[in-house]
Amino acid sequence: MRAQQHRFIDLLRGRGVDVVLADQAPGSYGQHYTRDIGFVIDDVFVVSRLHSRRRQGEFAGVRRLVERIERVAYLDAGTIEGGDVMLHDGLVLVGLSEETSPAGVDALRYQLDQLGSERVVQPIGFACGGIVHLDDHFNIVAPEVALVHPGVFDDAQMRWFAEHFDVIPVTGAEAAAVEVNALALGPGVVVVAERSERIAAELDTRGIEVIPVDYSEVTRIPGAFRCSTLPLARASTVMPSPGGQQFERGLGDSTAVDLDLHSAGAGGEFAAGR
């Protein structure tokens, strides 16, 4: 598992991303999925309220990194985890999974209002129980392109996805293998599991560069590429997409490629799991 993680980190660094390993949090022995500890919305780092008591000490591992961020928001109610949060076109999409509560969504909405954010917080519901995080069943992998596992969403939610994205349906077996949990390295570059051959082919037909990586030992926990990275700092330089449309790289009015990018180029900064 550690060897696979280091190969993934080498890939990120090779693509210009600054990777900072989280500190070891005292008493946290499953401290691998840093995505859940917090999330960045525009220039605000939001500290998550983790649902699992055994995970609540993990924030100590990124405290020194968060201290470098000028604007930090702490929520005062409910639970919410980074694996349930995505950005899309002025929206903050939040999955109502087992780890994120309606009270947590309300607390996030209140904090963003207090900070003057114009983003709209939109909950995403599920048609069944047992969902750990949104990004295991829905993931925006490129501007206007999303992987979706239809088996866990109702018809109304699927219609909303179809109205806003070029949807690539994912099978139950692929979702169970955590293949939805890919990571966008940029507007047209996606890291996927080595075994995700069908998904890779779908992305390739859309002109998206696919980087297959063996993460099979890591996903035994389970979790994958998006889970084990926590974006810390994003730029908002407007860049043209391959199709000519304009979209933001990173934050701002991003079409939700969930990646940190420095304004100077294709770099970024992540906190990786310990």
Side-chain angles (χ1 to χ4, degrees):
M1 174 178 164
R2 180 54 61 87
Q4 289 182 352
Q5 184 189 40
H6 279 305
R7 284 194 289 272
F8 177 42
I9 289 171
D10 288 343
L11 167 65
L12 293 175
R13 287 175 172 156
R15 291 282 176 151
V17 178
D18 295 328
V19 180
V20 183
L21 291 181
D23 295 331
Q24 179 64 57
S28 296
Y29 303 104
Q31 185 192 348
H32 181 69
Y33 296 129
T34 51
R35 173 72 59 162
D36 299 328
I37 300 171
F39 45 93
V40 175
I41 298 176
D42 301 322
D43 62 344
V44 178
F45 184 96
V46 181
V47 179
S48 296
R49 288 173 62 93
L50 297 171
H51 178 258
S52 172
R53 184 176 297 275
R54 66 180 175 81
R55 297 196 63 192
Q56 289 175 2
E58 292 181 22
F59 177 71
V62 296
R63 189 183 305 277
R64 67 181 175 89
L65 303 176
V66 175
E67 289 173 350
R68 295 162 46 191
I69 299 172
E70 183 176 347
R71 303 183 79 195
V72 179
Y74 294 86
L75 308 181
D76 59 6
T79 60
I80 189 167
E81 298 188 358
D84 281 317
V85 180
M86 295 185 194
L87 307 179
H88 173 68
D89 197 22
L91 300 176
V92 181
L93 306 179
V94 184
L96 292 173
S97 71
E98 291 189 341
E99 312 304 320
T100 295
S101 67
V105 176
D106 289 342
L108 174 62
R109 184 180 290 116
Y110 174 79
Q111 281 292 335
L112 292 180
D113 287 344
Q114 291 296 108
L115 292 167
S117 173
E118 296 183 357
R119 286 191 180 269
V120 176
V121 178
Q122 178 171 319
I124 301 292
F126 299 96
C128 60
I131 305 300
V132 178
H133 286 131
L134 177 65
D135 62 10
D136 290 332
H137 301 275
F138 165 76
N139 193 2
I140 303 167
V141 291
E144 314 303 336
V145 180
L147 305 178
V148 181
H149 175 209
V152 301
F153 299 105
D154 62 23
D155 291 343
Q157 186 60 63
M158 287 302 301
R159 285 194 296 272
W160 188 89
F161 287 147
E163 290 169 0
H164 291 81
F165 300 98
D166 176 4
V167 170
I168 300 175
V170 174
T171 68
E174 289 168 333
V178 208
E179 294 182 38
V180 177
N181 204 268
L183 178 69
L185 285 184
V189 184
V190 180
V191 179
V192 303
E194 192 173 62
R195 59 191 171 194
S196 301
E197 295 180 359
R198 190 195 67 82
I199 292 173
E202 290 281 358
L203 294 171
D204 184 67
T205 63
R206 290 160 171 81
I208 297 169
E209 179 186 354
V210 179
I211 305 174
V213 174
D214 183 8
Y215 225 42
S216 55
E217 291 300 321
V218 178
T219 55
R220 290 176 182 269
I221 293 182
F225 305 104
R226 192 174 190 272
C227 288
S228 54
T229 52
L230 169 60
L232 293 172
R234 294 170 170 141
S236 57
T237 304
V238 177
M239 299 293 290
S241 74
Q245 71 185 96
Q246 297 287 318
F247 59 91
E248 297 274 358
R249 297 181 66 172
L251 288 173
D253 293 326
S254 171
T255 47
V257 176
D258 196 2
L259 174 69
D260 296 351
L261 294 172
H262 290 319
S263 58
E269 184 172 58
F270 285 85
R274 177 69 179 179

